[in-house]
Amino acid sequence: MVLEKFIKKNMKKDKIAIIGLGYVGLPLARLFATKYSVVGFDINTERISELMSGVDSTLEVDNETLQSVLIGEDSNSNGLSCTNQLAKIKDCNYYIITVPTPVDKNNRPILTPLVKASETVGAVLKKGDIVIYESTVYPGATEEDCVPVLEKVSGLKFNKDFYAGYSPERINPGDKEHTVEKILKVTSGSTPEIGLKVDNLYKSVITAGTHLAPTIKVAEASKVIENSQRDINIAFVNELAKIFNLLDINTHDVLEAAGTKWNFLPFKPGLVGGHCIGVDPYYLAQKAQEHGYHPEIILAGRRLNDGMGDYVASEIVKCMIKNNIPVNESNVLILGITFKENCPDVRNTKVVDLVYALKDYGANITIHDPWADEQEIIHEYGLMSLKSLPNEKFDAVVLTVAHSKFKDLDILSLKKEKAIVYDLKNLLPKNIVTKKL
């Protein structure tokens, strides 16, 4: 109790640096800025200029809310300033790292952004500072991969001169109801005392409360199994969809009926992408394999979900053939390319797998997504995406993302007389849909 009172008494003196101002870092920085002096650091100069002008292109923080917490770069008052200059974060005593942790083309974890961020923090680390990681990693990565970088660059000794914590991010891009302060936060520290200090820091802004894990490894493991569990459950219903398609049974009707049982889990089939569910299981699998265990269920779920783009493409082609529509040189409209509805996030979107597969069949693809950034789609995937609908009719209309704007689309005006409508998200009226996943 004495330590807790001391921490609370000195809370206002803390200054926080958030390293990485993307989908995770910016909402967190905005929240902390309501009670602390916060410096957001990012190597992307365009991102810094955008944020300091009060605009967030990820749409995770609305412009009015962002502008309400912005302060000048040299101010020490409560609020948020953003920079790409290392000198601007050297007087902070908390460093929270929120950079992405993707996988490569072989699904092996890429820790490069995490290592680079650790080098950045190590260059300004001082005695008594605490470095907290929020990026998704496998159990042990914070203390085994990141801390040695901090020690090497700073010349300081871990758990003597500086300390570490881990608090896994639980951001749900595009979700305006479950915002960061409304999601219970798991926290941890490299010593019991630091764990309490980290927990109190987050507790001061997270209205949903916190859960202090006993160790950093426990907190890391909790993050990867959250999304691995969802991945496996979605893989199960994806497999059910394949089975029920063979039996000519509507999968969504089956799930609706089964969902009347009080403990039935309401998962739906679909393309599983994004920066969490489609990635996190590989981090856990990598660590398991390093210790001589081959995780069969986790990787089986990943294989099934990763193959859904090709499967859906083959189903679309079958529908077109049954309707006497030549597939080669056909014109197909794809509605949505972001990895989920009502947000511009295109990281690891599996819609591109479907697009590439249809292209292999010889189809001409037009992509329409009112949320996606056109230049980002070109840069990341070499594909064109249009914010506005073209004035033409198509041989097939495929709804891939449940953007709310698509509910009001006049689908019939987009299709030729014999064209098919394939609905992956069970969003469109049944009377106009040829087939659902």
Side-chain angles (χ1 to χ4, degrees):
M1 286 297 296
V2 174
L3 177 61
E4 189 170 350
K5 288 180 180 179
F6 174 79
I7 290 170
K8 289 181 177 179
K9 183 180 178 181
N10 289 275
M11 196 71 76
K12 291 183 179 179
K13 297 179 180 178
D14 293 326
K15 186 170 184 179
I16 303 168
I18 307 292
I19 313 301
L21 296 174
Y23 286 87
V24 174
L26 181 65
L28 187 68
R30 192 283 310 171
L31 179 60
F32 273 124
T34 61
K35 290 191 176 182
Y36 300 93
S37 174
V38 179
V39 184
F41 179 90
D42 201 292
I43 59 174
N44 186 332
T45 55
E46 291 182 6
R47 177 67 169 160
I48 296 301
S49 298
E50 166 191 286
L51 294 176
M52 288 304 286
S53 69
V55 176
D56 172 29
S57 60
T58 70
L59 307 182
E60 287 303 300
V61 178
D62 67 82
N63 294 346
E64 184 179 351
T65 301
L66 175 59
Q67 291 163 16
S68 71
V69 297
L70 283 175
I71 56 176
E73 277 195 45
D74 297 317
S75 175
N76 285 315
S77 61
N78 291 355
L80 172 66
S81 64
C82 302
T83 185
N84 63 344
Q85 299 177 41
L86 199 58
K88 299 290 186 180
I89 64 171
K90 66 180 181 180
D91 60 341
C92 295
N93 60 316
Y94 280 99
Y95 295 91
I96 303 178
I97 294 178
T98 61
V99 297
T101 44
V103 294
D104 65 17
K105 63 180 181 179
N106 297 311
N107 296 317
R108 291 174 301 197
I110 299 175
L111 295 182
T112 304
L114 208 55
V115 171
K116 292 294 185 183
S118 298
E119 290 174 345
T120 296
V121 171
V124 295
L125 202 60
K126 307 173 300 301
K127 287 189 176 183
D129 288 350
I130 299 175
V131 185
I132 304 169
Y133 291 86
E134 290 214 0
S135 307
T136 299
V137 291
Y138 45 72
T142 297
E143 291 159 298
E144 297 166 13
D145 296 290
C146 300
V147 165
V149 175
L150 294 172
E151 286 187 314
K152 181 179 179 180
V153 176
S154 69
L156 300 175
K157 186 70 176 176
F158 179 51
N159 277 343
K160 179 183 177 184
D161 300 321
F162 74 93
Y163 305 89
Y166 184 80
S167 181
E169 60 90 2
R170 283 178 166 172
I171 293 291
N172 188 24
D175 189 339
K176 302 309 177 187
E177 180 181 350
H178 301 97
T179 50
V180 59
E181 66 268 30
K182 297 176 183 177
I183 303 173
L184 195 143
K185 205 84 162 69
V186 174
T187 62
S188 64
S190 53
T191 70
E193 294 77 17
I194 295 303
L196 182 61
K197 197 168 185 179
V198 170
D199 190 65
N200 273 284
L201 179 72
Y202 281 98
K203 193 180 291 182
S204 68
V205 293
I206 303 292
T207 56
T210 60
H211 173 86
L212 177 57
T215 66
I216 286 176
K217 282 187 179 181
V218 168
E220 291 169 329
S222 74
K223 170 59 177 176
V224 288
I225 71 163
E226 284 176 22
N227 290 313
S228 296
Q229 183 185 68
R230 284 182 56 78
D231 192 44
I232 291 166
N233 279 293
I234 297 171
F236 173 61
V237 293
N238 274 338
E239 188 161 60
L240 292 179
K242 290 184 176 183
I243 295 170
F244 294 145
N245 278 340
L246 292 172
L247 301 178
D248 197 26
I249 300 173
N250 186 301
T251 303
H252 292 278
D253 288 345
V254 174
L255 294 175
E256 184 178 357
T260 59
K261 190 167 187 283
W262 75 91
N263 60 352
F264 185 81
L265 300 177
F267 289 93
K268 297 178 181 179
L271 303 175
V272 185
H275 62 106
C276 285
I277 299 178
V279 172
D280 294 2
Y282 288 121
Y283 275 77
L284 184 56
Q286 167 88 4
K287 198 62 175 177
Q289 289 168 335
E290 287 177 4
H291 286 257
Y293 181 80
H294 182 76
E296 297 182 20
I297 294 176
I298 293 171
L299 291 179
R302 277 284 76 231
R303 284 193 298 271
L304 198 146
N305 284 341
D306 276 348
M308 287 304 290
D310 287 339
Y311 172 76
V312 172
S314 68
E315 290 295 297
I316 292 169
V317 168
K318 288 177 186 177
C319 287
M320 294 175 71
I321 292 172
K322 287 179 180 178
N323 276 35
N324 295 313
I325 302 171
V327 178
N328 192 39
E329 294 301 324
S330 62
N331 295 312
V332 178
L333 175 63
I334 303 293
L335 294 175
I337 195 170
T338 60
F339 94 85
K340 66 174 293 187
E341 66 276 5
N342 301 326
C343 88
D345 196 347
V346 297
R347 289 174 295 175
N348 193 38
T349 174
K350 292 302 178 181
V351 177
V352 298
D353 293 354
L354 170 60
V355 170
Y356 294 149
L358 288 173
K359 281 177 171 285
D360 285 342
Y361 281 108
N364 300 313
I365 306 298
T366 299
I367 302 169
H368 166 59
D369 195 311
W371 286 85
D373 183 273
E374 295 163 322
Q375 293 303 313
E376 187 176 3
I377 299 299
I378 293 173
H379 180 265
E380 293 295 327
Y381 304 109
L383 298 171
M384 292 287 295
S385 178
L386 307 175
K387 284 189 175 291
S388 300
L389 277 168
N391 186 25
E392 60 179 290
K393 293 182 182 292
F394 297 87
D395 298 300
V397 178
V398 183
L399 187 138
T400 54
V401 184
H403 291 318
S404 57
K405 292 180 180 179
F406 289 158
K407 292 180 182 179
D408 301 323
L409 278 183
D410 183 2
I411 300 296
L412 295 179
S413 69
L414 299 171
K415 62 190 285 290
K416 296 178 182 177
E417 185 178 349
K418 293 194 303 180
I420 70 156
V421 177
Y422 194 100
D423 185 359
L424 273 80
K425 305 302 291 187
N426 196 33
L427 184 75
L428 303 176
K430 288 184 178 180
N431 64 306
I432 69 170
V433 175
T434 310
K435 193 167 185 180
K436 297 181 181 182
L437 177 59

